[in-house]
Amino acid sequence: MTAATDPVKLMKQEVGKAAAALVKSGSIVGLGTGSTTAYAIQFIGERLKSGELKDIVGVPTSFQAEVLAKQYGIPLTTLDAIDHIDIAIDGADEVDPHKNLIKGGGAAHTREKVVDYLANQFIVVVDAGKLVDRLGSVFPVPVEVIPMAVTPVMQAIEKLGGKPELRMGVKKAGPVITDQGNMVVDVKFDAIDNPENLEKTLNNIPGVLENGIFVNCADVVLIGEVKDNQPVVRKI
């Protein structure tokens, strides 16, 4: 099977295209991180190049998003230079029926949270496999921690009933280091009954910068599925 006919890849492209189609000329766009969002960035770039879109600037949430935006010709700005974001497009690792999210599989959740919460409209792009009945069912909660505080933070998380694990690098000796120079602790909870409370509780632990629970911020979730080998996009 070639990449061109891989139904999963095609489905991710269709979700990315659907999100890119929501961007209007003259907007400031938050550019998220991850494989599906990468297609959205590509299609925004293509719409700019064809002249269908004009006067777009992007705010990247990670080094990955920045590199892709430059590759596809999207001009970039920073939060210092703007006073709002019109639309942000980003992925998620889990989405519950209330559109609450767990993000941070790519360790970019701190910058994503800053950008996505600022946006007037936040569009989430996922495949159907990311939908869960309740948060924390499959994916641990990523917590970004300043390096000196890793041990006390992990001890505090255990007292909350979480099972913390320091995220280690792949093809790299030692822990994953975020774009801010911090570490990531992945925390498994048996059940997250109140995501809003847990988000605040985790962020109140000294040494924690931010965690991957996103509540009350997603406006639209675009979900890609493969049905009869064809990509389908639905919206909640």
Side-chain angles (χ1 to χ4, degrees), residues 216-227:
N216 304 326
C217 76
D219 295 300
V220 175
V221 182
L222 296 175
I223 301 149
E225 294 172 286
V226 178
K227 285 189 175 165

Side-chain angles (χ1 to χ4, degrees), residues 139-143 157 161-165 185-189 192 202:
F139 210 82
V141 178
V143 180
I157 285 170
K163 299 179 187 71
E165 199 171 290
V185 174
D186 289 311
V187 188
K188 197 78 187 97
F189 289 96
I192 299 175
L202 288 170

Side-chain angles (χ1 to χ4, degrees), residues 70-222:
K70 286 175 180 166
Q71 187 181 328
Y72 293 114
I74 302 170
L76 294 177
T77 187
T78 63
L79 294 176
D80 299 331
I82 56 173
D83 62 358
H84 73 286
I85 292 172
D86 296 295
I87 184 170
I89 299 169
D90 211 342
D93 299 298
E94 280 190 355
V95 181
D96 79 2
H98 307 290
K99 294 192 285 208
N100 294 320
L101 319 172
I102 287 183
K103 293 172 52 49
H109 53 282
T110 298
R111 283 170 66 173
E112 289 169 346
K113 200 175 264 193
V114 172
V115 169
D116 297 344
Y117 273 80
L118 268 178
N120 297 335
Q121 189 183 29
F122 174 29
I123 311 293
V124 179
V125 290
V126 289
D127 57 79
K130 305 289 170 66
L131 301 180
V132 294
D133 291 332
R134 55 197 296 180
L135 284 192
S137 312
V138 184
F139 210 82
V141 178
V143 180
E144 182 163 349
V145 184
I146 63 171
M148 68 165 282
V150 166
T151 301
V153 165
M154 285 171 84
Q155 288 165 347
I157 285 170
E158 281 173 352
K159 285 185 185 140
L160 293 175
K163 299 179 187 71
E165 199 171 290
L166 187 62
R167 189 182 300 180
M168 302 309 280
V170 177
K171 296 187 179 176
K172 168 199 177 292
V176 166
I177 303 297
T178 68
D179 287 355
Q180 290 74 247
N182 298 312
M183 295 180 185
V184 176
V185 174
D186 289 311
V187 188
K188 197 78 187 97
F189 289 96
D190 289 335
I192 299 175
D193 297 320
N194 189 326
E196 196 167 351
N197 273 2
L198 184 60
E199 181 191 18
K200 289 177 183 152
T201 305
L202 288 170
N203 278 357
N204 274 337
I205 299 170
V208 169
L209 186 58
E210 192 50 84
N211 69 79
I213 298 173
F214 285 52
V215 288
N216 304 326
C217 76
D219 295 300
V220 175
V221 182
L222 296 175

